[in-house]
Every structure is written in structure tokens, then in C-alpha cells.
Amino acid sequence: MIVIDNLTVAYGSVQALTGVSLEIGANEFVSIIGPNGAGKTTLLKSISNVVPWQSGDIRVDGTSIRGREGWDIARLGISHVPEGRRVFGQMTVEDNLKIGAMSSRVDMAQIQGIYDLFPHLAARKHARAITLSGGEQQMLAIGRALMSRPRLLMLDEPSMGLAPLLVEQVFHHIGELFKSSSLSVLLIEQRATEALEASQRSYVLEQGRVVISGPSAKLLNDPAIQSSYLGITAKG
Ligand code: ATP
């Protein structure tokens, strides 16, 4: 569905991505893990065309998206939940969901579908978003992104700043969402264990380059990944 082909991105003299190639298939759950500053967020921003790329290409269904506007990328079925759970704090939960729809006609059945997926939101539908917990705000940000009926949901560090119990809850919901839909998911995470457990395939980014990729279950058992990313050291 999406092919990233030899992508290179720089911010002035800072090289953020160098020759990155990867693919996300239809109804596939792919994660990207890697340390701080590895280029994970830049990769998502490149797909959303928030940052321009110097060379290489990104193709959706075989067509380059170079130079396309954000709304046009969304129209292709790509939805981006940025880092930091950006919700409209003074608006109610339900109004946040309504503005996620790309149409002015609100489909209440669709909103009910989001509530079925995230029961915590249903219970707080008339509350202002700012009063929600961090985990609930993350679910609202994901729910709002789903309102545009995407084919690919891109999640940038959904665990960031959440207490461990809430991280578990958010990952549980993301897993359920993937299982119950025909969505593709591209997840960016520093929490490597959770990301590898949730996804089918993964790429490891280091200093803007893909250094390892493969089935997530295989990477979870790879001693090099375990010692570098999962905090597991080999027994002597
Ligand atoms: P983190 O997990 O900390 O968000 P990341 O893997 O998402 O890290 P990026 O945020 O994509 O990494 O950053 C990749 C590199 O690009 C880093 O060296 C970072 O300092 C640099 N960078 C990111 N955004 C900018 C910017 N707006 N201007 C200049 N340099 C930037």
C-alpha cells in the first residue's frame, strides 16, 4: 500500500533520514523502533508531507505523493496521530470526534463505533477534553483520527508521558482496533517491547538509517535487539 523508497530528509545541515526504504501492506501492523533522535517522527512527517524530502520517493498505491497537500494525503486514507495527544481541550469529547470527520454531515453510527471501541470515551462524551486523563486523551486523539475513515493510521509515540497501566490500556485498544478492522497501522515507539509485541513487522531506525527489519516476533527474540532495545542481557 505504501512504499518508501530510498528516502533522504534533512533539516538544514542536520541529516534526519538517509536512504530509508520500507513498506506497509494493506491490513498490516508495522512498527518503527529506535532511540531518541533516530528519525522516527521525521518519517511520519514525511508521509504526511509536513516535512519535504531531499531525495527518494513515497508512493501510495504506486503513485508518488511528492508535493501533495495535507488534506490530499488525508483523502488518500492516511491519518496521522501526532506525538503529544493534541485534542481540543475546551471542546467536549463528542465535538472533538465530530471535527475529525472529513464531511460536515455527522455520522452518529460512526461515533457510536468509536465509543464501542473506547468505552472510556462513551462515559465521558459530554466532558471537556482537557478534563480527561492522559490515556483517555490518547484514545480521543486516535478516535478523532479514525473519524476520517483512514486506510492507514499512523501513531507517533502513543505511550509518551503515560503511566504504565495506561500504556498497557492504550496498547490493548490499539491491538483490538487493528484486529477488528481492515486498517493498516504504522506505529512509532520508543517502548520497543510493547511495539514489537503489538505489531507484525518492525524496522529499527538508528541515526536516520534502517539497521534491522523483520517479523516482530523474530526481533523480540533477537539477542542484539534484546540487549540494545529491550533491556535484556544474555545470561553468561
Ligand atoms: P524522538 O523519539 O526524540 O522524537 P525521533 O526518532 O522521532 O526522536 P526525529 O524527531 O525525527 O527523531 O529527529 C531526527 C533528527 O532530526 C534529530 O537529530 C533531531 O534533532 C533532528 N530534528 C528533528 N526536527 C528538527 C527540526 N525541526 N529542526 C532541526 N532538526 C530537527
Side-chain angles (χ1 to χ4, degrees):
M1 179 187 165
I2 298 209
V3 173
I4 297 178
D5 182 10
N6 209 13
L7 192 74
T8 294
V9 177
Y11 301 98
S13 60
V14 179
Q15 192 75 24
L17 296 176
T18 307
V20 168
S21 294
L22 58 89
E23 294 181 10
I24 305 140
N27 194 212
E28 191 179 28
F29 193 149
V30 172
S31 69
I32 315 262
I33 61 172
N36 254 332
K40 304 182 298 299
T41 295
T42 300
L43 184 65
L44 289 202
K45 286 183 174 172
S46 305
I47 299 173
S48 291
N49 254 338
V50 178
V51 297
W53 58 86
Q54 274 64 50
S55 61
D57 204 2
I58 300 179
R59 292 186 288 276
V60 177
D61 300 329
T63 303
S64 173
I65 59 166
R66 179 180 279 274
R68 294 234 195 171
E69 300 287 341
W71 59 267
D72 203 15
I73 305 274
R75 225 168 41 97
L76 289 172
I78 297 174
S79 196
H80 185 164
V81 181
E83 205 171 307
R85 310 184 276 284
R86 288 182 216 144
V87 295
F88 295 99
Q90 300 305 325
M91 291 170 66
T92 65
V93 166
E94 192 145 298
D95 285 344
N96 266 274
L97 292 177
K98 285 178 183 168
I99 57 169
M102 284 178 60
S103 140
S104 53
R105 256 186 297 141
V106 176
D107 179 349
M108 288 313 289
Q110 194 193 359
I111 290 187
Q112 187 53 51
I114 307 272
Y115 290 151
D116 292 344
L117 202 57
F118 302 120
H120 289 89
L121 296 184
R124 308 289 315 276
K125 64 170 105 171
H126 300 304
R128 283 187 305 151
I130 200 166
T131 65
L132 302 185
S133 71
E136 289 166 342
Q137 287 188 21
Q138 184 62 64
M139 291 171 208
L140 180 55
I142 295 172
R144 197 178 65 200
L146 291 174
M147 288 297 290
S148 66
R149 301 186 191 279
R151 291 189 297 154
L152 171 69
L153 183 67
M154 303 197 296
L155 302 169
D156 193 343
E157 302 229 15
S159 73
M160 183 172 276
L162 298 183
L165 195 64
L166 293 179
V167 171
E168 212 177 284
Q169 241 178 48
V170 166
F171 274 98
H172 168 76
H173 283 300
I174 294 169
E176 291 299 305
L177 165 64
F178 175 70
K179 276 190 243 155
S180 66
S181 70
S182 55
L183 264 181
S184 299
V185 175
L186 178 59
L187 168 73
I188 301 299
E189 258 299 333
Q190 275 196 48
R191 284 182 170 265
T193 306
E194 286 84 348
L196 292 176
E197 282 173 354
S199 59
Q200 296 167 318
R201 257 185 340 106
S202 296
Y203 295 84
V204 181
L205 266 187
E206 267 180 25
Q207 297 183 354
R209 294 173 193 271
V210 173
V211 291
I212 306 175
S213 64
S216 304
K218 192 167 162 222
L219 298 194
L220 262 175
N221 291 311
D222 179 331
I225 300 277
Q226 289 180 342
S227 63
S228 301
Y229 295 102
L230 310 181
I232 300 169
T233 46
K235 292 192 185 97

